[in-house]
Each structure stands twice: as structure tokens, then as C-alpha cells.
């Protein structure tokens, strides 16, 4: 296999906010409207990676087993799909609230979903019929027990009241205790925290395509100061002054891969990581690890075209400028966390990294985690 072309340097991180497949929306407490943002088709053909047949590394455009002849347009009569991914690192389950963007009337009975909340490093798929209109998506971090019987409208009022000047910056930190002022994960906040608020138009959700909406960073309005907060939540946003962001991406639409291969793309969804490389470990000592993607900035989906790979034994995350793996997760653990339980050869998946900077010095936050999400 040939060496993959290097992705864009970190200096062009800001351009990733509005370009290509990936749309990154940094959020403060106010709502951000993505209506009208232009979406462009992914470029390049499906490449091939073989994690069990040797090779030093490859990426989009590498030769080998191919998934077919280029991009396949989805049927126009199919609704787009949207999955929510919980990547908030400072505690609480995520509850999803939806409103009609035009009338602002609550959808789904004004009831937060899913029942019991969305655990960290997991995904929840939105009812497809709700995507036939422009919708406002609000993601709220809260303790599951506190959400019982609550309505989306009521939680929104609580959040607005807690953000008033007379209210404390975040009542959630003291709810579950802390150690020397550093929150202990998983905090289960009794006061709701807004993790994301974004408007999504029907034009943003392409018919027949699958999209991911990831809430990243910290929902706490003012995390504890210091290096630990930066390594957990990421740096404060220069524009909004927040420690949170929302990533909206459309997954590649290449045809399914021939078994035993499966399609894979990587999304860097950690605010604490400026750039990352992902390696797939070979099945045994006779095979070498292969590179899925390199120099992937926060909010970027790489490679742009789905790449076909064989099932690896593990996944390595390598930070820019580092030597060797900074975080390793076994493939077995990845499948267990994905809620799928087993890989389906021939299908396409997104591999999402959420969590803090992967080092032992980061305490008080959610752990690093790769999340595998199937493309349906």
C-alpha cells in the first residue's frame, strides 16, 4: 500500500468550520442557526485499507479491495437520517428536545428523549418523520432521575433561570460533589445544563443520507480553571467564550463494501485535541498496522470517501508530534460500546473519538472513547 496524502495542516482548522462535508458550529448559551449553510459532495473515490494483510499505511485513494464505482446518489424519496452522539465530557446523560423551527412548538410530545437519557459515548437516532421540517435541536445534560416527568419546555426555563446574572454559574458542580474543586465524572447534575442548541433545516439533511450531530466539550458554563479544564473541555472559544461545540457531518455515501471488508471513516470530536492520527492494528504480529487517517483536526471527517478495511484487533489514536500511540482501544471493546455487538461485513461505519486529551494527567472528566456508529 502507498502512503496516504497528508490532510490539511492544523493552521487551517478555522476553515473546517464551514467547508466540505463537515460543519462545525461552536455554541454558547444562545441558539445557533445552521439554516442555509452550503453542503458539498464528498470528493475522491473509495480507498482500501487491509488491517490483516500487511502494508505500512494508507488512506483515501489507496489501492486494494474496492467498494465499487464511486459515489452512489441516494433515492430522492428516502428521508435523511440524523443520529445524536454524546461527547460531552463533564457529566450527565444527554436528553434530546425538539421544536418546530417555524412555530417553535414542541415536537415529540414535549418529552425529552431517549427514555432515561443518552449515556456518554453512545448514539441515538432521531425519528425520521421529524426531519421533514426545519427543527431546533436542544441537547440537555442532566441526571436521569432528575429528568423523570420533566418536559422540554420546563427544562429550558430552568436553564434560562440558572444563567441569569443573579444565579450561580453552574449549580450542577455542587450537586454530586467534587474533589479539590475538580468535578468527579460522571457528575449527574440536578440542574439542567444546555450542551448544544442548533437549528437544522431540511436542506441540511440530505435525502437518503446519514448525518451525525455530536455534542462535544463541556456543558458546564464555567469549568474549573487550570490546565485540567483545558485538557478535558478544550480551550475557551475565542468567539463565544464557551467550552462546547456541535459538529454536524454527513457520512460518505459510497456503496457498501464487499465482505469481509467494511467501510470506515473517522471523526475527531474532541475539543481537547487539535489534530489526530488513527491507526488500525493488524490481527497478528505478521501484519502491520495501517493508517486510516492522519492530521485530522477537530470537527473533521476523514477520509472524505469511505475507505474499505478488514476487521482490526485494536485502534490507536496518535496526537500530532507524538511518538507511538497515545490511546489504544481494543476492537472488542469498541464493538461492545457501539451497541451493535458485532460487526456486519460489507456495511459502512463512522468511528468517532470523544473525550479529553488521552493522558493520565486528565482527571475528573469522562474517559477517552472510540464510538462505532453504523451507516444505515
Amino acid at each position: 500500500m502507498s502512503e496516504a496524502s497528508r490532510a490539511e495542516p492544523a493552521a487551517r482548522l478555522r476553515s473546517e468550520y464551514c467547508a466540505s462535508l463537515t460543519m462545525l458550529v461552536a455554541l454558547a448559551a444562545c441558539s445557533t442557526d445552521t439554516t442555509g449553510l452550503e453542503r458539498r459532495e464528498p470528493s475522491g473515490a473509495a480507498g482500501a485499507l487491509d488491517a490483516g494483510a500487511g502494508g505500512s499505511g494508507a488512506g483515501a485513494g489507496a489501492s486494494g479491495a474496492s467498494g465499487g464505482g464511486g459515489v452512489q446518489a441516494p433515492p430522492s424519496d428516502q428521508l435523511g437520517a440524523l443520529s445524536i452522539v454524546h461527547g460531552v465530557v463533564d457529566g450527565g446523560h444527554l436528553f434530546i428536545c425538539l421544536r418546530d423551527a417555524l412555530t417553535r412548538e414542541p415536537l415529540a410530545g414535549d418529552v425529552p428523549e431517549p427514555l432515561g437519557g443518552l449515556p456518554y459515548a453512545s448514539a441515538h437516532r432521531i425519528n425520521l418523520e421529524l426531519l421533514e421540517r426545519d427543527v431546533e435541536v436542544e441537547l440537555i445534560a442532566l441526571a436521569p432521575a432528575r429528568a423523570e416527568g420533566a418536559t422540554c419546555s420546563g427544562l429550558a426555563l430552568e436553564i434560562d433561570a440558572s444563567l441569569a446574572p443573579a444565579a450561580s454559574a453552574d449549580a450542577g458542580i455542587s450537586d454530586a460533589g467534587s474533589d479539590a474543586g475538580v468535578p468527579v465524572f460522571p457528575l449527574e447534575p440536578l440542574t439542567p445544563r444546555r450542551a448544544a442548541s442548533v437549528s437544522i433545516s431540511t436542506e441540511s439533511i440530505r435525502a437518503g443520507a446519514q448525518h451525525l450531530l455530536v455534542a462535544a466539550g463541556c456543558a458546564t458554563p464555567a469549568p474549573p480553571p487550570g490546565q485540567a479544564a483545558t485538557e478535558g473541555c478544550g480551550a475557551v472559544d475565542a468567539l463565544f467564550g464557551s467550552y462546547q461545540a456541535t459538529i454536524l457531518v454527513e457520512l460518505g455515501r459510497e456503496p457498501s463494501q464487499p465482505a469481509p471488508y467494511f467501510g470506515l471513516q473517522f471523526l475527531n470530536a474532541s475539543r481537547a485535541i487539535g489534530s489526530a492520527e488513527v491507526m488500525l492494528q493488524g490481527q497478528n504480529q505478521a501484519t502491520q498496522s495501517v493508517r486510516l487517517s492522519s492530521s485530522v483536526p477537530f470537527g473533521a471527517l476523514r477520509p472524505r470517501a469511505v475507505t474499505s478495511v478488514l476487521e482490526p484487533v485494536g485502534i490507536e489514536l496518535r496526537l500530532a508530534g507524538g511518538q507511538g500511540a497515545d490511546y489504544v482501544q481494543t476492537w472488542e471493546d469498541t464493538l461492545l460500546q457501539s451497541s451493535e455487538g458485532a460487526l456486519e461485513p460489507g456495511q459502512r461505519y463512522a468511528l468517532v473519538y470523544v473525550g479529553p486529551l488521552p493522558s493520565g494527567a486528565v482527571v475528573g472528566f469522562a474517559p477517552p472513547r472510540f464510538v462505532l456508529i453504523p451507516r444505515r
Side-chain angles (χ1 to χ4, degrees):
M1 295 186 184
S2 61
E3 182 73 20
S5 298
R6 306 296 290 185
E8 292 88 349
R12 298 178 58 187
L13 173 59
R14 182 62 61 178
S15 66
E16 294 291 341
Y17 278 59
C18 302
S20 188
L21 269 179
T22 304
M23 292 192 299
L24 172 63
V25 186
L27 298 175
C30 60
S31 173
T32 300
D33 192 343
T34 61
T35 303
L37 286 180
E38 181 181 1
R39 303 187 68 89
R40 292 189 284 178
E41 297 291 339
S43 59
L49 289 182
D50 188 339
S56 59
S63 60
S66 175
V71 174
Q72 176 181 334
S76 59
D77 59 347
Q78 290 185 4
L79 293 174
L82 177 67
S83 294
I84 308 293
V85 181
H86 184 347
V88 179
V89 302
D90 62 339
H93 284 52
L94 277 190
F95 290 87
I96 304 166
C97 290
L98 303 174
R99 287 191 298 267
D100 187 297
L102 180 62
T103 66
R104 297 190 60 79
E105 290 295 319
L107 301 176
D110 200 24
V111 177
E113 60 174 280
L115 182 64
L118 180 64
Y120 170 72
S122 61
H124 177 74
R125 189 159 176 168
I126 297 298
N127 184 339
L128 298 182
E129 294 182 358
L130 297 175
L131 302 179
E132 294 182 302
R133 72 197 84 190
D134 294 354
V135 297
E136 293 183 4
V137 181
E138 190 164 43
L139 305 180
I140 299 172
L142 188 62
R146 173 62 179 76
E148 292 180 5
T151 64
C152 288
S153 300
L155 292 177
L157 289 175
E158 283 192 59
I159 292 174
D160 292 340
S162 69
L163 294 176
S168 60
D170 178 34
I173 284 185
S174 60
D175 291 332
S178 63
D179 182 12
V182 178
V184 178
F185 187 88
L187 275 176
E188 295 297 348
L190 301 180
T191 299
R193 306 170 184 167
R194 182 177 287 115
S197 184
V198 60
S199 296
I200 301 178
S201 69
T202 54
E203 289 80 7
S204 299
I205 304 298
R206 194 188 305 274
Q210 180 164 339
H211 306 74
L212 298 182
L213 181 66
V214 187
C218 290
T220 307
Q227 186 65 24
T230 301
E231 294 179 349
C233 310
V236 61
D237 185 86
L239 182 60
F240 296 107
S242 69
Y243 290 85
Q244 59 185 233
T246 306
I247 307 166
L248 176 64
V249 296
E250 176 187 330
L251 302 185
R253 296 181 290 128
E254 284 74 20
S256 298
Q257 316 301 313
Y261 292 88
F262 66 97
L264 194 62
Q265 290 176 290
F266 169 67
L267 174 63
N268 178 3
S270 170
R271 288 193 82 247
I273 296 178
S275 181
E277 174 179 274
V278 173
M279 303 290 292
L280 303 179
Q281 296 177 342
Q283 287 285 356
N284 52 61
Q285 293 182 352
T287 60
Q288 298 179 353
S289 297
V290 295
R291 182 179 295 108
L292 174 64
S293 54
S294 60
S295 300
V296 183
F298 169 58
L301 182 72
R302 296 291 186 270
R304 288 189 173 93
V306 175
T307 299
S308 57
V309 300
L310 285 178
E311 193 166 4
V313 69
I315 314 169
E316 298 179 2
L317 183 80
R318 302 183 178 188
L319 304 183
Q323 297 294 327
D326 293 279
Y327 173 69
V328 179
Q329 183 171 304
T330 68
W331 187 248
E332 181 180 7
D333 285 346
T334 304
L335 293 178
L336 289 175
Q337 289 289 329
S338 73
S339 77
E340 294 298 303
L343 180 76
E344 186 176 351
Q347 295 303 311
R348 293 157 292 175
Y349 296 83
L351 183 67
V352 183
Y353 177 82
V354 296
L357 196 69
S359 69
V362 182
V363 295
F365 296 97
R369 177 60 59 185
F370 283 111
V371 186
L372 190 67
I373 300 173
R375 162 75 165 89
R376 298 302 186 191

